[in-house]
Amino acid sequence: VAVVAATSPGATSPGTGPGGGGSGGAGVAEAAEIATRVLVVLGVAYDGAETLLREWSPSLAESTWRAPTENVTRYGASTRIGR
């Protein structure tokens, strides 16, 4: 990522200068700041996903199939899942 601000001293249009990122490292600090902020948000999201998986995975285990005890469908009865 290269950031070139119009107010930066010696700013040129993107794609000029060494590496195609502006002149002489203009915008490197700004690009690093953007990358840092993006990576912090991604790190928080990843930690949240890991926590969710660790805390909820036992509760989200697949239920075992049990065949119905009767062949008649009872529309007024409750459905019970689990033990």
Side-chain angles (χ1 to χ4, degrees), residues 1-9 11 21 23-38:
V1 173
V3 177
V4 178
T7 58
S8 296
S23 68
V28 172
E30 291 87 354
E33 178 66 23
I34 291 170
T36 300
R37 290 180 185 210
V38 168

Side-chain angles (χ1 to χ4, degrees), residues 33 50 60 79:
E33 178 66 23
E50 286 289 321
L60 298 175
T79 301

Side-chain angles (χ1 to χ4, degrees), residues 2-82:
V3 177
V4 178
T7 58
S8 296
T12 60
S13 61
T16 61
S23 68
V28 172
E30 291 87 354
E33 178 66 23
I34 291 170
T36 300
R37 290 180 185 210
V38 168
L39 290 175
V40 165
V41 170
L42 290 175
V44 168
Y46 183 81
D47 288 344
E50 286 289 321
T51 301
L52 183 66
L53 180 63
R54 184 177 54 254
E55 290 179 1
W56 283 92
S57 63
S59 300
L60 298 175
E62 185 175 346
S63 296
T64 56
W65 166 254
R66 292 185 303 187
T69 56
E70 299 176 14
N71 291 335
V72 179
T73 304
R74 297 178 301 172
Y75 293 104
S78 300
T79 301
R80 189 167 169 214
I81 298 175

